[in-house]
Amino acid sequence: MENAIHGILLILGLITVGCVLLITIYLVISGIPAIRKIGVLKFLFGKKWASTAAQPQYGILPFILTSIYGTAGAIVIGVPVGFLTAVYLSKIAPPKVKTVIETAVSLLAGIPSVVYGLVGMMVLVPGIRTLFHIPDGASLFAAIIVLAIMILPSIIKVSLTALEAVPKEYEDASLALGATPVETYFRVSVPAAKSGIAAAVVLGVGRAIGEAMAIMMVAGNAPNMPGMFQSVRFLTTAVASEMSYAADGSLQKQALFSIALVLFLFIMLINAVLNFFLKHSKE
C-alpha cells in the first residue's frame, strides 16, 4: 500500500512537470519563428509596436518596461500593506475583528479580475483624472493601484498562515527575556516565518505579472513607453488584445506567441532569482 501511494504521488508530480514542459515546448516552437524573422534586438529593444500598419513594426520594449514598472509598483504598495495586515491579524487583532477582516480578504480573493477592472474603470480612472488634472486617468498609475489591491489576498492569507505556525514558545521566551510585544513580533515571529512570507511575495509577484483583463480596462492599452500618467500596455494585455483578430500563420500572430514566450521566461527568471536569494538567506 505504501509503495502504491508513493507511485501515485510520483505520477501526479510528473504530470505537473509534464504540463510545464509541454507549455514551454509549445511556446518555444510557436515564438521562435517570429523572433528569427524580426530579429532579436529589434524585437526586444524596439520602441514601436504597430502590427497592423502598412509597414509593421514589432518592438516590445515598451511592454517589457511597463510590466516591470507595474509589477514593481504593485509590490512596493501591496507587500507592506499585506504583510503588516497579516502581522496585525495573527498577533494583535481581537477575535471578532480578525474574523471580519479574514472574511473580507477571502471575498477579495474570490472577486473576478474583470470586476476589479470594471470598478477601476468606473471609479479609479475618473478619480485620477480629476485629482491630477490630466486628460485621461487610464494610466500606469491606475494599473499599479489595481494590481496592488489584487495581490493583497494572496500575501495576507499565506503570510497569516506562516505567522500562525510559529511556535508560541518562541514568543514566550522572547517576552520572558524582557522584549516588548512589538519587538517579539518583528524580531522573533517574523524571522521564524520568513520562508512563508517570502512564498507569499512570490505568489503576489506571479499574480501581478500574469494579470491581463483588469489591467486592460484601466491602463488604456496603448503601446506607449511607460509613464506614470500615460496610457500603457503590458505584456499580458498585448497578447490578449490582439490574439482574437490576428490571422493564423501571420507574422503578427507569431509575434504574439513570441511575447508570450518572453513573458513566460520573464516569470521563470523572477522565480529563479527569488528562490536563489531565499535559499542563500536560509543557508
Side-chain angles (χ1 to χ4, degrees):
M1 181 61 69
E2 288 289 329
N3 292 332
I5 293 175
H6 290 168
I8 292 173
L9 295 177
L10 176 61
I11 292 172
L12 294 176
L14 292 176
I15 289 174
T16 303
V17 175
C19 291
V20 175
L21 290 176
L22 286 175
I23 293 173
T24 304
I25 294 170
Y26 181 77
L27 287 177
V28 170
I29 294 174
S30 301
I32 291 299
I35 296 178
R36 286 179 176 175
K37 293 177 184 178
I38 300 168
V40 176
L41 296 180
K42 286 185 178 180
F43 184 71
L44 294 178
F45 300 103
K47 296 182 179 180
K48 186 175 182 180
W49 174 272
S51 58
T52 57
Q55 295 182 346
Q57 298 186 48
Y58 299 97
I60 66 168
L61 182 61
F63 307 156
I64 295 175
L65 294 179
T66 298
S67 296
I68 293 174
Y69 294 164
T71 302
I75 294 302
V76 168
I77 297 174
V79 168
V81 174
F83 165 68
L84 293 176
T85 300
V87 173
Y88 172 74
L89 292 177
S90 63
K91 305 300 179 184
I92 302 173
K96 291 184 178 179
V97 175
K98 181 179 179 180
T99 301
V100 171
I101 297 179
E102 283 186 329
T103 302
V105 171
S106 298
L107 289 174
L108 278 178
I111 295 175
S113 60
V114 68
V115 176
Y116 283 103
L118 182 63
V119 173
M121 186 174 64
M122 301 301 294
V123 178
L124 181 61
V125 170
I128 292 175
R129 182 174 62 244
T130 303
L131 181 63
F132 295 98
H133 306 289
I134 55 179
D136 187 10
S139 59
L140 177 60
F141 182 69
I144 288 174
I145 298 299
V146 171
L147 285 176
I149 295 173
M150 293 182 70
I151 67 175
L152 283 178
S154 300
I155 295 174
I156 292 174
K157 293 176 75 68
V158 177
S159 298
L160 179 60
T161 302
L163 288 168
E164 288 181 340
V166 176
K168 194 174 184 301
E169 290 79 5
Y170 289 8
E171 298 177 0
D172 292 341
S174 175
L175 294 171
L177 291 173
T180 64
V182 173
E183 288 176 334
T184 299
Y185 301 151
F186 287 98
R187 295 190 177 185
V188 177
S189 301
V190 169
K194 181 172 59 176
S195 60
I197 296 171
V201 175
V202 172
L203 288 175
V205 171
R207 178 73 188 274
I209 295 175
E211 183 54 45
M213 184 56 66
I215 301 308
M216 189 184 299
M217 300 173 71
V218 300
N221 201 29
N224 300 318
M225 291 296 287
M228 189 59 70
F229 297 105
Q230 188 173 1
S231 295
V232 292
R233 182 180 294 180
F234 287 65
L235 286 168
T236 50
T237 57
V239 177
S241 61
E242 296 190 18
M243 186 62 76
S244 60
Y245 62 82
D248 291 337
S250 64
L251 182 58
Q252 179 188 10
K253 193 157 192 174
Q254 292 176 349
L256 294 176
F257 277 111
S258 299
I259 293 176
L261 176 61
V262 171
L263 177 62
F264 183 72
L265 295 176
F266 185 50
I267 293 174
M268 289 184 62
L269 176 63
I270 290 178
N271 285 335
V273 171
L274 289 175
N275 288 328
F276 171 78
F277 281 111
L278 290 176
K279 183 179 179 180
H280 180 72
S281 177
K282 186 176 181 180
E283 290 176 352

